[in-house]
Amino acid sequence: MDAKINYQLQLDKILASLDLNKKPKLLLHSCCAPCSSYCLEYLNQYFDITLYFYNPNIVDREEFQKRFEELRRLVDETKLNADIVCPPYEPSEFTEKVKGYENCPEGGDRCGICYALRLKSACDYAEQNGYDYFCSTLSISPHKDAQKLNSIGYALAQGKSVEYLPNDFKKRGGYLRSIELSEKHGLYRQNFCGCIFGKQNQTKN
């Protein structure tokens, strides 16, 4: 079995090389406010950040809007000067991609397709709009596969003018800090990833 790559160590090396007097532009894909809280706090000193709220996997418009409003409130309250880009909610973009994978277990191939869908959109937007790096907050969750997320990110950046920023945000107490920040700001912490399959699985459990 291949050894797991330490993506946090890779991130450390990149951060140590940056000129803090001239912050590079980072497009940070955001799945929700709780996951974004620590990532924003951590990366703000190194990057000029734009949050990219592209999540067509979310089960319905009400849930989508609730998560987006919480993200906007988090940015307002923390005063970290992050911009937010929110593409239109088009759930068919997700359902078409995962057709035939509806019965996959959580964390399986369907989730990999979902990671790739959202990261590709972030990569394309970042390249088209002159960002230096792109990545996602998804790796902060203990339920998300950081090895798979990062391998997808690196593959998408091949041949592009934007670089992928490796990460495993759950490391160094990142996940626990996100819980603390969520409690501090009273953030809505959803109990499922966002998609209908995750919601159904949560109901079963």
PDB file of all heavy atoms in Angstrom, residues 48-76:
ATOM      1  N   ASP A  48      -4.396  36.768   0.184  1.00  0.00           N
ATOM      2  CA  ASP A  48      -5.569  37.585  -0.116  1.00  0.00           C
ATOM      3  C   ASP A  48      -6.636  36.588  -0.554  1.00  0.00           C
ATOM      4  O   ASP A  48      -6.561  36.036  -1.650  1.00  0.00           O
ATOM      5  CB  ASP A  48      -5.222  38.573  -1.226  1.00  0.00           C
ATOM      6  CG  ASP A  48      -6.400  39.447  -1.623  1.00  0.00           C
ATOM      7  OD1 ASP A  48      -7.462  39.343  -0.976  1.00  0.00           O
ATOM      8  OD2 ASP A  48      -6.275  40.208  -2.593  1.00  0.00           O
ATOM      9  N   ILE A  49      -7.625  36.356   0.305  1.00  0.00           N
ATOM     10  CA  ILE A  49      -8.543  35.223   0.115  1.00  0.00           C
ATOM     11  C   ILE A  49      -9.895  35.631  -0.467  1.00  0.00           C
ATOM     12  O   ILE A  49     -10.507  36.601  -0.033  1.00  0.00           O
ATOM     13  CB  ILE A  49      -8.784  34.502   1.457  1.00  0.00           C
ATOM     14  CG1 ILE A  49      -7.467  33.962   2.015  1.00  0.00           C
ATOM     15  CG2 ILE A  49      -9.803  33.373   1.298  1.00  0.00           C
ATOM     16  CD1 ILE A  49      -7.587  33.356   3.413  1.00  0.00           C
ATOM     17  N   THR A  50     -10.347  34.829  -1.420  1.00  0.00           N
ATOM     18  CA  THR A  50     -11.728  34.876  -1.890  1.00  0.00           C
ATOM     19  C   THR A  50     -12.349  33.515  -1.627  1.00  0.00           C
ATOM     20  O   THR A  50     -11.782  32.484  -2.005  1.00  0.00           O
ATOM     21  CB  THR A  50     -11.812  35.184  -3.392  1.00  0.00           C
ATOM     22  OG1 THR A  50     -11.280  36.484  -3.655  1.00  0.00           O
ATOM     23  CG2 THR A  50     -13.268  35.138  -3.874  1.00  0.00           C
ATOM     24  N   LEU A  51     -13.483  33.501  -0.954  1.00  0.00           N
ATOM     25  CA  LEU A  51     -14.215  32.256  -0.707  1.00  0.00           C
ATOM     26  C   LEU A  51     -15.108  31.956  -1.903  1.00  0.00           C
ATOM     27  O   LEU A  51     -15.816  32.836  -2.396  1.00  0.00           O
ATOM     28  CB  LEU A  51     -15.053  32.384   0.556  1.00  0.00           C
ATOM     29  CG  LEU A  51     -14.256  32.505   1.858  1.00  0.00           C
ATOM     30  CD1 LEU A  51     -15.156  32.989   2.984  1.00  0.00           C
ATOM     31  CD2 LEU A  51     -13.625  31.175   2.221  1.00  0.00           C
ATOM     32  N   TYR A  52     -15.084  30.710  -2.334  1.00  0.00           N
ATOM     33  CA  TYR A  52     -15.832  30.290  -3.516  1.00  0.00           C
ATOM     34  C   TYR A  52     -16.891  29.280  -3.079  1.00  0.00           C
ATOM     35  O   TYR A  52     -16.595  28.107  -2.858  1.00  0.00           O
ATOM     36  CB  TYR A  52     -14.869  29.682  -4.527  1.00  0.00           C
ATOM     37  CG  TYR A  52     -15.466  29.359  -5.876  1.00  0.00           C
ATOM     38  CD1 TYR A  52     -15.903  30.376  -6.723  1.00  0.00           C
ATOM     39  CD2 TYR A  52     -15.529  28.044  -6.329  1.00  0.00           C
ATOM     40  CE1 TYR A  52     -16.423  30.083  -7.975  1.00  0.00           C
ATOM     41  CE2 TYR A  52     -16.041  27.745  -7.579  1.00  0.00           C
ATOM     42  CZ  TYR A  52     -16.490  28.765  -8.397  1.00  0.00           C
ATOM     43  OH  TYR A  52     -16.995  28.475  -9.650  1.00  0.00           O
ATOM     44  N   PHE A  53     -18.117  29.744  -2.940  1.00  0.00           N
ATOM     45  CA  PHE A  53     -19.194  28.901  -2.422  1.00  0.00           C
ATOM     46  C   PHE A  53     -19.912  28.213  -3.582  1.00  0.00           C
ATOM     47  O   PHE A  53     -21.011  28.602  -3.983  1.00  0.00           O
ATOM     48  CB  PHE A  53     -20.174  29.738  -1.590  1.00  0.00           C
ATOM     49  CG  PHE A  53     -21.158  28.918  -0.809  1.00  0.00           C
ATOM     50  CD1 PHE A  53     -20.774  28.263   0.349  1.00  0.00           C
ATOM     51  CD2 PHE A  53     -22.479  28.804  -1.214  1.00  0.00           C
ATOM     52  CE1 PHE A  53     -21.679  27.498   1.079  1.00  0.00           C
ATOM     53  CE2 PHE A  53     -23.399  28.051  -0.499  1.00  0.00           C
ATOM     54  CZ  PHE A  53     -22.998  27.392   0.647  1.00  0.00           C
ATOM     55  N   TYR A  54     -19.257  27.192  -4.116  1.00  0.00           N
ATOM     56  CA  TYR A  54     -19.834  26.403  -5.207  1.00  0.00           C
ATOM     57  C   TYR A  54     -20.157  25.014  -4.659  1.00  0.00           C
ATOM     58  O   TYR A  54     -19.262  24.206  -4.402  1.00  0.00           O
ATOM     59  CB  TYR A  54     -18.858  26.295  -6.373  1.00  0.00           C
ATOM     60  CG  TYR A  54     -19.329  25.344  -7.460  1.00  0.00           C
ATOM     61  CD1 TYR A  54     -20.387  25.707  -8.297  1.00  0.00           C
ATOM     62  CD2 TYR A  54     -18.734  24.102  -7.634  1.00  0.00           C
ATOM     63  CE1 TYR A  54     -20.834  24.830  -9.283  1.00  0.00           C
ATOM     64  CE2 TYR A  54     -19.174  23.227  -8.616  1.00  0.00           C
ATOM     65  CZ  TYR A  54     -20.225  23.591  -9.439  1.00  0.00           C
ATOM     66  OH  TYR A  54     -20.671  22.731 -10.419  1.00  0.00           O
ATOM     67  N   ASN A  55     -21.454  24.732  -4.457  1.00  0.00           N
ATOM     68  CA  ASN A  55     -21.879  23.486  -3.821  1.00  0.00           C
ATOM     69  C   ASN A  55     -23.209  22.985  -4.399  1.00  0.00           C
ATOM     70  O   ASN A  55     -24.241  23.005  -3.710  1.00  0.00           O
ATOM     71  CB  ASN A  55     -21.994  23.697  -2.311  1.00  0.00           C
ATOM     72  CG  ASN A  55     -20.671  24.082  -1.680  1.00  0.00           C
ATOM     73  OD1 ASN A  55     -19.745  23.283  -1.620  1.00  0.00           O
ATOM     74  ND2 ASN A  55     -20.553  25.331  -1.243  1.00  0.00           N
ATOM     75  N   PRO A  56     -23.202  22.532  -5.649  1.00  0.00           N
ATOM     76  CA  PRO A  56     -24.448  22.044  -6.258  1.00  0.00           C
ATOM     77  C   PRO A  56     -24.917  20.724  -5.659  1.00  0.00           C
ATOM     78  O   PRO A  56     -26.028  20.269  -5.955  1.00  0.00           O
ATOM     79  CB  PRO A  56     -24.064  21.866  -7.730  1.00  0.00           C
ATOM     80  CG  PRO A  56     -22.594  21.590  -7.699  1.00  0.00           C
ATOM     81  CD  PRO A  56     -22.067  22.451  -6.576  1.00  0.00           C
ATOM     82  N   ASN A  57     -24.084  20.128  -4.801  1.00  0.00           N
ATOM     83  CA  ASN A  57     -24.452  18.884  -4.119  1.00  0.00           C
ATOM     84  C   ASN A  57     -25.473  19.103  -3.007  1.00  0.00           C
ATOM     85  O   ASN A  57     -26.114  18.143  -2.566  1.00  0.00           O
ATOM     86  CB  ASN A  57     -23.211  18.233  -3.514  1.00  0.00           C
ATOM     87  CG  ASN A  57     -22.505  19.160  -2.528  1.00  0.00           C
ATOM     88  OD1 ASN A  57     -22.137  20.277  -2.888  1.00  0.00           O
ATOM     89  ND2 ASN A  57     -22.325  18.727  -1.302  1.00  0.00           N
ATOM     90  N   ILE A  58     -25.623  20.330  -2.548  1.00  0.00           N
ATOM     91  CA  ILE A  58     -26.508  20.587  -1.401  1.00  0.00           C
ATOM     92  C   ILE A  58     -27.954  20.234  -1.747  1.00  0.00           C
ATOM     93  O   ILE A  58     -28.453  20.544  -2.827  1.00  0.00           O
ATOM     94  CB  ILE A  58     -26.372  22.047  -0.934  1.00  0.00           C
ATOM     95  CG1 ILE A  58     -24.966  22.252  -0.339  1.00  0.00           C
ATOM     96  CG2 ILE A  58     -27.423  22.396   0.105  1.00  0.00           C
ATOM     97  CD1 ILE A  58     -24.680  23.657   0.134  1.00  0.00           C
ATOM     98  N   VAL A  59     -28.613  19.598  -0.809  1.00  0.00           N
ATOM     99  CA  VAL A  59     -29.872  18.902  -1.040  1.00  0.00           C
ATOM    100  C   VAL A  59     -31.001  19.772  -1.593  1.00  0.00           C
ATOM    101  O   VAL A  59     -31.780  19.331  -2.435  1.00  0.00           O
ATOM    102  CB  VAL A  59     -30.319  18.183   0.255  1.00  0.00           C
ATOM    103  CG1 VAL A  59     -30.574  19.184   1.374  1.00  0.00           C
ATOM    104  CG2 VAL A  59     -31.505  17.295   0.020  1.00  0.00           C
ATOM    105  N   ASP A  60     -31.117  21.022  -1.141  1.00  0.00           N
ATOM    106  CA  ASP A  60     -32.174  21.891  -1.652  1.00  0.00           C
ATOM    107  C   ASP A  60     -31.771  23.351  -1.487  1.00  0.00           C
ATOM    108  O   ASP A  60     -30.780  23.668  -0.821  1.00  0.00           O
ATOM    109  CB  ASP A  60     -33.522  21.614  -0.973  1.00  0.00           C
ATOM    110  CG  ASP A  60     -33.474  21.716   0.549  1.00  0.00           C
ATOM    111  OD1 ASP A  60     -32.813  22.642   1.065  1.00  0.00           O
ATOM    112  OD2 ASP A  60     -34.090  20.881   1.229  1.00  0.00           O
ATOM    113  N   ARG A  61     -32.544  24.224  -2.100  1.00  0.00           N
ATOM    114  CA  ARG A  61     -32.195  25.643  -2.098  1.00  0.00           C
ATOM    115  C   ARG A  61     -32.222  26.242  -0.688  1.00  0.00           C
ATOM    116  O   ARG A  61     -31.415  27.112  -0.359  1.00  0.00           O
ATOM    117  CB  ARG A  61     -33.153  26.417  -3.012  1.00  0.00           C
ATOM    118  CG  ARG A  61     -32.756  27.887  -3.215  1.00  0.00           C
ATOM    119  CD  ARG A  61     -33.649  28.554  -4.233  1.00  0.00           C
ATOM    120  NE  ARG A  61     -33.481  27.969  -5.550  1.00  0.00           N
ATOM    121  CZ  ARG A  61     -32.489  28.275  -6.400  1.00  0.00           C
ATOM    122  NH1 ARG A  61     -31.565  29.142  -6.041  1.00  0.00           N
ATOM    123  NH2 ARG A  61     -32.430  27.706  -7.580  1.00  0.00           N
ATOM    124  N   GLU A  62     -33.138  25.782   0.146  1.00  0.00           N
ATOM    125  CA  GLU A  62     -33.225  26.309   1.513  1.00  0.00           C
ATOM    126  C   GLU A  62     -31.939  26.023   2.288  1.00  0.00           C
ATOM    127  O   GLU A  62     -31.397  26.896   2.968  1.00  0.00           O
ATOM    128  CB  GLU A  62     -34.418  25.692   2.235  1.00  0.00           C
ATOM    129  CG  GLU A  62     -34.598  26.211   3.656  1.00  0.00           C
ATOM    130  CD  GLU A  62     -35.793  25.595   4.361  1.00  0.00           C
ATOM    131  OE1 GLU A  62     -36.476  24.750   3.750  1.00  0.00           O
ATOM    132  OE2 GLU A  62     -36.030  25.953   5.526  1.00  0.00           O
ATOM    133  N   GLU A  63     -31.446  24.785   2.180  1.00  0.00           N
ATOM    134  CA  GLU A  63     -30.200  24.420   2.860  1.00  0.00           C
ATOM    135  C   GLU A  63     -29.021  25.181   2.273  1.00  0.00           C
ATOM    136  O   GLU A  63     -28.129  25.649   3.003  1.00  0.00           O
ATOM    137  CB  GLU A  63     -29.963  22.903   2.745  1.00  0.00           C
ATOM    138  CG  GLU A  63     -28.712  22.400   3.436  1.00  0.00           C
ATOM    139  CD  GLU A  63     -28.808  22.377   4.953  1.00  0.00           C
ATOM    140  OE1 GLU A  63     -29.927  22.481   5.504  1.00  0.00           O
ATOM    141  OE2 GLU A  63     -27.745  22.237   5.599  1.00  0.00           O
ATOM    142  N   PHE A  64     -29.008  25.315   0.957  1.00  0.00           N
ATOM    143  CA  PHE A  64     -27.943  26.064   0.266  1.00  0.00           C
ATOM    144  C   PHE A  64     -27.891  27.505   0.767  1.00  0.00           C
ATOM    145  O   PHE A  64     -26.830  28.027   1.119  1.00  0.00           O
ATOM    146  CB  PHE A  64     -28.209  26.036  -1.243  1.00  0.00           C
ATOM    147  CG  PHE A  64     -27.189  26.773  -2.063  1.00  0.00           C
ATOM    148  CD1 PHE A  64     -26.068  26.125  -2.573  1.00  0.00           C
ATOM    149  CD2 PHE A  64     -27.349  28.124  -2.356  1.00  0.00           C
ATOM    150  CE1 PHE A  64     -25.129  26.802  -3.348  1.00  0.00           C
ATOM    151  CE2 PHE A  64     -26.417  28.814  -3.115  1.00  0.00           C
ATOM    152  CZ  PHE A  64     -25.303  28.141  -3.610  1.00  0.00           C
ATOM    153  N   GLN A  65     -29.051  28.139   0.818  1.00  0.00           N
ATOM    154  CA  GLN A  65     -29.107  29.535   1.231  1.00  0.00           C
ATOM    155  C   GLN A  65     -28.727  29.704   2.698  1.00  0.00           C
ATOM    156  O   GLN A  65     -28.044  30.671   3.068  1.00  0.00           O
ATOM    157  CB  GLN A  65     -30.512  30.097   0.983  1.00  0.00           C
ATOM    158  CG  GLN A  65     -30.607  31.607   1.083  1.00  0.00           C
ATOM    159  CD  GLN A  65     -29.787  32.326   0.019  1.00  0.00           C
ATOM    160  OE1 GLN A  65     -29.620  31.820  -1.096  1.00  0.00           O
ATOM    161  NE2 GLN A  65     -29.261  33.503   0.334  1.00  0.00           N
ATOM    162  N   LYS A  66     -29.145  28.755   3.516  1.00  0.00           N
ATOM    163  CA  LYS A  66     -28.824  28.829   4.947  1.00  0.00           C
ATOM    164  C   LYS A  66     -27.322  28.757   5.167  1.00  0.00           C
ATOM    165  O   LYS A  66     -26.747  29.531   5.940  1.00  0.00           O
ATOM    166  CB  LYS A  66     -29.522  27.686   5.694  1.00  0.00           C
ATOM    167  CG  LYS A  66     -29.382  27.768   7.206  1.00  0.00           C
ATOM    168  CD  LYS A  66     -30.259  26.713   7.869  1.00  0.00           C
ATOM    169  CE  LYS A  66     -30.230  26.855   9.389  1.00  0.00           C
ATOM    170  NZ  LYS A  66     -31.138  25.889  10.050  1.00  0.00           N
ATOM    171  N   ARG A  67     -26.657  27.858   4.444  1.00  0.00           N
ATOM    172  CA  ARG A  67     -25.204  27.718   4.585  1.00  0.00           C
ATOM    173  C   ARG A  67     -24.479  28.948   4.033  1.00  0.00           C
ATOM    174  O   ARG A  67     -23.479  29.392   4.607  1.00  0.00           O
ATOM    175  CB  ARG A  67     -24.723  26.445   3.887  1.00  0.00           C
ATOM    176  CG  ARG A  67     -25.263  25.181   4.521  1.00  0.00           C
ATOM    177  CD  ARG A  67     -24.615  23.925   3.981  1.00  0.00           C
ATOM    178  NE  ARG A  67     -25.282  22.737   4.493  1.00  0.00           N
ATOM    179  CZ  ARG A  67     -24.774  21.519   4.470  1.00  0.00           C
ATOM    180  NH1 ARG A  67     -23.570  21.319   3.959  1.00  0.00           N
ATOM    181  NH2 ARG A  67     -25.432  20.486   4.958  1.00  0.00           N
ATOM    182  N   PHE A  68     -24.991  29.480   2.947  1.00  0.00           N
ATOM    183  CA  PHE A  68     -24.353  30.673   2.368  1.00  0.00           C
ATOM    184  C   PHE A  68     -24.487  31.871   3.309  1.00  0.00           C
ATOM    185  O   PHE A  68     -23.522  32.623   3.512  1.00  0.00           O
ATOM    186  CB  PHE A  68     -24.961  31.004   1.009  1.00  0.00           C
ATOM    187  CG  PHE A  68     -24.474  32.312   0.455  1.00  0.00           C
ATOM    188  CD1 PHE A  68     -23.160  32.467   0.039  1.00  0.00           C
ATOM    189  CD2 PHE A  68     -25.324  33.409   0.379  1.00  0.00           C
ATOM    190  CE1 PHE A  68     -22.697  33.685  -0.447  1.00  0.00           C
ATOM    191  CE2 PHE A  68     -24.876  34.623  -0.110  1.00  0.00           C
ATOM    192  CZ  PHE A  68     -23.559  34.763  -0.528  1.00  0.00           C
ATOM    193  N   GLU A  69     -25.655  32.065   3.872  1.00  0.00           N
ATOM    194  CA  GLU A  69     -25.864  33.202   4.778  1.00  0.00           C
ATOM    195  C   GLU A  69     -24.982  33.092   6.015  1.00  0.00           C
ATOM    196  O   GLU A  69     -24.475  34.106   6.525  1.00  0.00           O
ATOM    197  CB  GLU A  69     -27.337  33.295   5.182  1.00  0.00           C
ATOM    198  CG  GLU A  69     -28.285  33.670   4.050  1.00  0.00           C
ATOM    199  CD  GLU A  69     -28.008  35.051   3.474  1.00  0.00           C
ATOM    200  OE1 GLU A  69     -27.384  35.889   4.174  1.00  0.00           O
ATOM    201  OE2 GLU A  69     -28.401  35.293   2.319  1.00  0.00           O
ATOM    202  N   GLU A  70     -24.787  31.882   6.513  1.00  0.00           N
ATOM    203  CA  GLU A  70     -23.904  31.687   7.663  1.00  0.00           C
ATOM    204  C   GLU A  70     -22.452  32.004   7.299  1.00  0.00           C
ATOM    205  O   GLU A  70     -21.708  32.568   8.102  1.00  0.00           O
ATOM    206  CB  GLU A  70     -24.010  30.250   8.188  1.00  0.00           C
ATOM    207  CG  GLU A  70     -25.279  29.982   8.969  1.00  0.00           C
ATOM    208  CD  GLU A  70     -25.308  30.751  10.278  1.00  0.00           C
ATOM    209  OE1 GLU A  70     -25.791  31.912  10.266  1.00  0.00           O
ATOM    210  OE2 GLU A  70     -24.857  30.216  11.305  1.00  0.00           O
ATOM    211  N   LEU A  71     -22.056  31.659   6.089  1.00  0.00           N
ATOM    212  CA  LEU A  71     -20.703  31.987   5.639  1.00  0.00           C
ATOM    213  C   LEU A  71     -20.523  33.497   5.563  1.00  0.00           C
ATOM    214  O   LEU A  71     -19.504  34.038   6.018  1.00  0.00           O
ATOM    215  CB  LEU A  71     -20.444  31.352   4.271  1.00  0.00           C
ATOM    216  CG  LEU A  71     -19.054  31.601   3.677  1.00  0.00           C
ATOM    217  CD1 LEU A  71     -17.968  30.960   4.551  1.00  0.00           C
ATOM    218  CD2 LEU A  71     -18.976  31.065   2.249  1.00  0.00           C
ATOM    219  N   ARG A  72     -21.506  34.171   5.022  1.00  0.00           N
ATOM    220  CA  ARG A  72     -21.426  35.629   4.913  1.00  0.00           C
ATOM    221  C   ARG A  72     -21.397  36.281   6.299  1.00  0.00           C
ATOM    222  O   ARG A  72     -20.645  37.231   6.534  1.00  0.00           O
ATOM    223  CB  ARG A  72     -22.610  36.157   4.100  1.00  0.00           C
ATOM    224  CG  ARG A  72     -22.525  37.651   3.804  1.00  0.00           C
ATOM    225  CD  ARG A  72     -23.367  38.034   2.625  1.00  0.00           C
ATOM    226  NE  ARG A  72     -24.769  37.709   2.801  1.00  0.00           N
ATOM    227  CZ  ARG A  72     -25.695  37.900   1.861  1.00  0.00           C
ATOM    228  NH1 ARG A  72     -25.345  38.406   0.676  1.00  0.00           N
ATOM    229  NH2 ARG A  72     -26.951  37.585   2.081  1.00  0.00           N
ATOM    230  N   ARG A  73     -22.167  35.744   7.222  1.00  0.00           N
ATOM    231  CA  ARG A  73     -22.168  36.279   8.589  1.00  0.00           C
ATOM    232  C   ARG A  73     -20.812  36.059   9.258  1.00  0.00           C
ATOM    233  O   ARG A  73     -20.297  36.942   9.961  1.00  0.00           O
ATOM    234  CB  ARG A  73     -23.286  35.620   9.408  1.00  0.00           C
ATOM    235  CG  ARG A  73     -23.395  36.164  10.825  1.00  0.00           C
ATOM    236  CD  ARG A  73     -24.663  35.696  11.507  1.00  0.00           C
ATOM    237  NE  ARG A  73     -24.679  34.281  11.799  1.00  0.00           N
ATOM    238  CZ  ARG A  73     -24.099  33.737  12.880  1.00  0.00           C
ATOM    239  NH1 ARG A  73     -23.438  34.506  13.750  1.00  0.00           N
ATOM    240  NH2 ARG A  73     -24.174  32.434  13.088  1.00  0.00           N
ATOM    241  N   LEU A  74     -20.223  34.896   9.029  1.00  0.00           N
ATOM    242  CA  LEU A  74     -18.902  34.608   9.596  1.00  0.00           C
ATOM    243  C   LEU A  74     -17.869  35.626   9.117  1.00  0.00           C
ATOM    244  O   LEU A  74     -17.098  36.163   9.923  1.00  0.00           O
ATOM    245  CB  LEU A  74     -18.456  33.201   9.203  1.00  0.00           C
ATOM    246  CG  LEU A  74     -17.010  32.844   9.563  1.00  0.00           C
ATOM    247  CD1 LEU A  74     -16.848  32.705  11.074  1.00  0.00           C
ATOM    248  CD2 LEU A  74     -16.580  31.563   8.848  1.00  0.00           C
ATOM    249  N   VAL A  75     -17.861  35.901   7.830  1.00  0.00           N
ATOM    250  CA  VAL A  75     -16.906  36.859   7.270  1.00  0.00           C
ATOM    251  C   VAL A  75     -17.133  38.248   7.864  1.00  0.00           C
ATOM    252  O   VAL A  75     -16.184  38.942   8.234  1.00  0.00           O
ATOM    253  CB  VAL A  75     -17.007  36.900   5.738  1.00  0.00           C
ATOM    254  CG1 VAL A  75     -16.192  38.049   5.163  1.00  0.00           C
ATOM    255  CG2 VAL A  75     -16.530  35.576   5.143  1.00  0.00           C
ATOM    256  N   ASP A  76     -18.393  38.641   7.992  1.00  0.00           N
ATOM    257  CA  ASP A  76     -18.712  39.953   8.570  1.00  0.00           C
ATOM    258  C   ASP A  76     -18.246  40.053  10.023  1.00  0.00           C
ATOM    259  O   ASP A  76     -17.690  41.078  10.434  1.00  0.00           O
ATOM    260  CB  ASP A  76     -20.214  40.218   8.494  1.00  0.00           C
ATOM    261  CG  ASP A  76     -20.705  40.479   7.075  1.00  0.00           C
ATOM    262  OD1 ASP A  76     -19.860  40.766   6.201  1.00  0.00           O
ATOM    263  OD2 ASP A  76     -21.928  40.382   6.844  1.00  0.00           O
TER     264      ASP A  76
END
